[in-house]
Amino acid sequence: HLGDRTMRLRKQREVVAEVLAPLRLSVTELEKLRNLMRREMEKGLSKETNSTASLRMLPTYVCNLPDGTERGNFLALDLGGTNFRVLLVQVRSKEDGGVRMKSEVYTIPPDIAQSNATELFDHIVSCIMDFYHKHNILGTSLPLGFTFSFPCSQIGLDKGILLRWTKGFSAANCVGEDVVKLLRDAIDRHEVVALVNDTVGTMMACAYVDQKCEVGLIVGTGTNACYMEEMRNVGTVEGDEGRMCINMEWGAFGDDGCISHYITPYDEKVNSESINPNQQRYEKLISGMYLGEIVRYIMLELASRKVLFKGQQPPTLKTKDVFPTKYLTNVEDPGHHYVCNILEELGMPVSTEDGLVVKEVCHTVTSRAARMCAAGVAAVVEKIRENKRMTKLDVTVGVDGTVYKMHPFFAKQLQDTVTILAPNCNVKFLLSEDGSGKGAALIAAVACQNKMPA
Ligand SMILES: *[C@@H]1O[C@H](CO)[C@@H](O)[C@H](O)[C@H]1NC(C)=O
Ligand SMILES: *[C@@H]1O[C@H](CO)[C@@H](O)[C@H](O)[C@H]1NC(C)=O
Ligand SMILES: *[C@@H]1O[C@H](CO)[C@@H](O)[C@H](O)[C@H]1NC(C)=O
């Protein structure tokens, strides 16, 4: 029977290698992906071609990075879903404690999220008032940065038109309106100075401590990036002087089909079963919302080819999201063999070999995500370097998100691959937490400084 077992294992090895092969990208394929990203960036920046680009390359009207000398108290509002945060951010010198924050979380009840503009923004104001009472700052008027995590078309630093509601919101009389004006109409005591995307906040929070930071990156449930672009390259905004932060909305990279070569049958399954088929194609290869699902479809394939779970397809494995991305993190934990515990809990008939196979699948899927993400980062930093006409560039990327923070090797794989794909840049990644709080306040701080007469 030893012969049988050897045969079985050999077959398992062969089939696993065959199934995983399209996920193992060569450096050449990654370079191609980087070049495609670069092409789409140029397309999105140009006035003539922006309408057909999969990267929207949105102007943010954030034109300056903090230099570490900003001081003062700021208010940050963070509306990203049912949780609404109010933060008091005290920006001090490093010796004096640096950036300090006090915050409260309020919930937006569904009946208010689905009511109308008046109801929603009045509720927001009552939360702010409560915050003022609790923190004893009644009577003060603080500059305010507003992180509003819904799709907006930004037409000024303090002007953004809501394009559509997402995440269970549907309040009437908001879509098509300037959300900063809606907020201002509800509170007349504050100067709302900036509308903020969390990616931009991540870059700003990092730039406050590291002057080389010119890129913001998020790899969490979703993924997105922003960076400082020369105005002369931004065809979609008037003016050639100085720089502006561009929100790439890079999750949508490839929605025009330009990365179809990289998409496997498992990715296709994840895509077609998602709530937004054919949108956010790059994000669906990289971010936390999808990695577990990719692994699940690969396990199903291996089971149907009789090399996993004794050739049965365990019923639980057919349930959407039964293998969340946090399992990919646990499975890779070097000190433990969580893989068998997880599979047992899911009611799978596991053997040691099966455990190893599942671990390999997880490893391959995460590794591909990190390397594809690196191709994007490489395109961005190389463009910054060329903009500056430098032969060698030192640049820092401010980064946040659960996948980056929690996974045991994602960060290292990302770093290593960027080093290969952007050989003329020395890229440092710096964890930059709470862009929507700290970063939003810093955007307000920089905006205020620029308004002060010289
Ligand atoms: C908003 O909703 C409230 C409560 O349902 C209602 O009293 C109010 O008239 C509505 N306002 C507008 C502008 O529709
Ligand atoms: C800003 O960030 C949020 C959350 O990451 C995202 O959902 C939204 O679409 C972003 N972009 C714009 C242009 O508002
Ligand atoms: C994008 O392209 C369209 C079509 O060419 C053009 O009308 C529009 O002005 C461009 N967008 C911006 C923001 O300039």
Side-chain angles (χ1 to χ4, degrees):
H1 285 291
L2 192 63
D4 275 1
R5 183 159 182 276
T6 313
M7 289 297 284
R8 214 178 56 235
L9 288 182
R10 186 175 298 163
K11 167 138 190 275
Q12 187 182 49
R13 294 296 332 137
E14 274 170 22
V15 174
V16 169
E18 186 193 319
V19 165
L20 294 181
L23 287 97
R24 303 192 200 277
L25 301 173
S26 68
V27 168
T28 311
E29 284 169 306
L30 290 168
E31 283 168 348
K32 276 193 194 141
L33 187 67
R34 175 199 63 198
N35 299 347
L36 278 170
M37 175 70 86
R38 175 63 183 268
R39 197 190 71 191
E40 288 298 298
M41 288 171 73
E42 310 279 1
K43 239 167 115 180
L45 285 171
S46 144
K47 197 179 178 72
E48 286 68 44
T49 51
N50 79 76
S51 55
T52 60
S54 66
L55 292 182
R56 297 180 62 207
M57 305 299 285
L58 301 170
T60 64
Y61 299 89
V62 169
C63 299
N64 293 287
L65 292 164
D67 62 10
T69 64
E70 293 73 16
R71 303 286 177 263
N73 294 339
F74 302 88
L75 206 61
L77 304 184
D78 178 11
L79 180 62
T82 47
N83 281 342
F84 170 57
R85 271 195 318 159
V86 183
L87 303 96
L88 172 63
V89 185
Q90 299 173 310
V91 184
R92 309 231 173 112
S93 66
K94 270 183 205 112
E95 301 73 49
D96 203 10
V99 179
R100 278 190 254 178
M101 302 196 284
K102 294 173 185 164
S103 70
E104 303 284 341
V105 177
Y106 300 90
T107 50
I108 308 275
D111 61 315
I112 288 182
Q114 292 158 16
S115 61
N116 58 38
T118 322
E119 293 268 304
L120 175 61
F121 282 90
D122 281 353
H123 178 74
I124 286 175
V125 170
S126 70
C127 299
I128 299 173
M129 287 307 136
D130 177 80
F131 184 87
Y132 267 65
H133 275 288
K134 273 201 181 119
H135 294 273
N136 241 329
I137 47 173
L138 270 175
T140 59
S141 166
L142 304 175
L144 187 158
F146 183 24
T147 304
F148 184 75
S149 297
F150 298 93
C152 283
S153 154
Q154 205 157 348
I155 46 178
L157 183 59
D158 61 351
K159 235 189 198 61
I161 309 296
L162 177 63
L163 296 176
R164 61 183 173 276
W165 281 124
T166 54
K167 309 181 219 182
F169 278 63
S170 62
N173 311 329
C174 295
V175 171
E177 301 293 321
D178 172 9
V179 291
V180 175
K181 182 169 185 304
L182 292 175
L183 181 63
R184 274 210 194 105
D185 290 349
I187 35 167
D188 44 23
R189 301 155 39 79
H190 296 277
E191 191 193 1
V192 186
V193 291
L195 184 65
V196 179
N197 192 274
D198 58 351
T199 312
V200 183
T202 299
M203 176 187 75
M204 295 298 269
C206 179
Y208 185 73
V209 293
D210 181 339
Q211 250 71 87
K212 292 205 171 79
C213 177
E214 311 188 32
V215 183
L217 170 67
I218 293 191
V219 196
T221 312
T223 183
N224 192 16
C226 69
Y227 72 103
M228 294 304 286
E229 179 57 276
E230 303 293 327
M231 277 297 285
R232 62 182 147 84
N233 295 335
V234 187
T236 51
V237 180
E238 291 293 310
D240 277 345
E241 293 301 304
R243 304 197 296 167
M244 185 184 284
C245 176
I246 297 293
N247 171 3
M248 295 175 69
E249 293 289 322
W250 86 359
F253 173 45
D255 288 5
D256 58 351
C258 73
I259 62 170
S260 58
H261 166 68
Y262 297 85
I263 289 170
T264 67
Y266 322 105
D267 301 312
E268 205 43 71
K269 267 287 203 200
V270 172
N271 174 54
S272 61
E273 299 295 316
S274 68
I275 54 164
N276 55 349
N278 301 329
Q279 288 173 25
Q280 303 293 99
R281 295 313 299 260
Y282 186 57
E283 178 167 86
K284 283 175 183 160
L285 306 171
I286 293 176
S287 80
M289 176 113 86
Y290 309 100
L291 297 184
E293 280 292 278
I294 303 172
V295 168
R296 184 174 71 86
Y297 282 116
I298 295 175
M299 289 195 283
L300 277 173
E301 171 71 13
L302 293 173
S304 82
R305 293 176 66 170
K306 310 265 182 255
V307 295
L308 199 60
F309 308 136
K310 305 194 169 74
Q312 302 158 19
Q313 294 198 3
T316 36
L317 203 52
K318 296 192 178 148
T319 316
K320 197 170 180 226
D321 296 324
V322 76
F323 199 84
T325 294
K326 71 162 197 271
Y327 286 173
L328 275 76
T329 300
N330 298 343
V331 161
E332 298 278 357
D333 191 313
H336 297 83
H337 295 289
Y338 286 126
V339 62
C340 291
N341 302 3
I342 290 170
L343 295 173
E344 262 163 30
E345 235 167 76
L346 293 176
M348 322 262 193
V350 273
S351 64
T352 316
E353 289 90 27
D354 285 355
L356 289 174
V357 167
V358 171
K359 195 165 171 170
E360 185 180 350
V361 173
C362 291
H363 192 90
T364 309
V365 167
T366 312
S367 181
R368 181 186 66 153
R371 286 159 67 81
M372 287 191 121
C373 181
V377 173
V380 172
V381 293
E382 280 294 316
K383 185 165 198 321
I384 296 175
R385 184 185 64 77
E386 285 172 32
N387 285 344
K388 294 182 195 261
R389 298 189 177 87
M390 289 168 80
T391 48
K392 193 86 196 169
L393 174 74
D394 283 341
V395 62
T396 301
V397 176
V399 48
D400 198 1
T402 46
V403 172
Y404 181 86
K405 277 194 289 203
M406 310 300 284
H407 196 278
F409 77 76
F410 186 95
K412 179 166 190 309
Q413 184 103 55
L414 175 65
Q415 171 83 67
D416 292 351
T417 314
V418 167
T419 305
I420 297 168
L421 298 178
N424 298 315
C425 296
N426 179 19
V427 184
K428 184 170 130 193
F429 289 87
L430 196 63
L431 187 60
S432 169
E433 284 170 296
D434 204 2
S436 49
K438 197 191 295 182
L442 284 164
I443 292 174
V446 173
C448 290
Q449 243 180 14
N450 291 330
K451 269 193 214 156
M452 282 194 305

